[in-house]
Amino acid sequence: MIFLVTARAATRTEQVYTSMRADIMLGRLLPGSKLQFADLTERYGVSMGAIREGLQRLCEQGLVVSEPQIGFRVMALSIDDLRDLTTARCEIEGLALRYAIASGDLAFGLGLVQSHRVHQGGGA
């Protein structure tokens, strides 16, 4: 019976972590905003323990910061942070495209040309 309770708690912790992460990434929890335990337990319908574990995981990923004697906040972003993220994303996507083109076959190339034509208004 203890195993079932532990598995259920782990599932709730995973669910709340996933939900909080999604809310941060989608801007529902705003950068710099304070994360109040009471608000979070009500919002996600879970215990404080599940919230605490989820926040710790988000801290490990750099999405949330823990401030001693104050609590947790969503990590704030600066313009420089956004520039760095945009640069990294462009580099990664460019590299992925180069790899895809280098390893693609004729069908891949034809699909790429067709997609380009459709998006340029040239039809299929």
Side-chain angles (χ1 to χ4, degrees):
M1 195 67 131
I2 293 172
F3 175 77
L4 293 176
V5 172
T6 304
R8 186 176 298 143
T11 301
R12 284 191 189 127
T13 299
E14 184 65 30
Q15 288 172 345
V16 75
Y17 158 76
T18 301
S19 295
M20 285 192 296
R21 187 177 192 287
D23 286 347
I24 290 169
M25 300 303 283
L26 295 171
R28 289 183 273 225
L29 293 173
L30 299 175
S33 63
K34 188 166 182 172
L35 300 170
Q36 303 280 350
F37 276 93
D39 295 340
L40 295 172
T41 56
E42 184 177 323
R43 180 180 187 139
Y44 299 107
V46 296
S47 69
M48 274 198 206
I51 295 292
R52 184 174 284 111
E53 287 184 45
L55 289 171
Q56 289 299 330
R57 286 183 64 187
L58 293 167
C59 281
E60 292 168 5
Q61 294 182 348
L63 295 173
V64 168
V65 289
S66 175
E67 300 171 326
Q69 305 299 321
I70 296 175
F72 293 89
R73 289 190 183 278
V74 176
M75 177 64 81
L77 291 174
S78 68
I79 295 297
D80 288 337
D81 292 334
L82 292 175
R83 281 189 193 114
D84 290 344
L85 288 170
T86 301
T87 299
R89 183 173 177 181
C90 289
E91 292 292 325
I92 291 168
E93 288 179 3
L95 182 62
L97 180 59
R98 286 193 293 278
Y99 282 146
I101 290 170
S103 63
D105 58 9
L106 182 59
F108 172 81
L110 292 173
L112 200 60
V113 170
Q114 182 180 11
S115 177
H116 176 72
R117 286 185 182 153
V118 167
H119 291 292
Q120 296 300 314

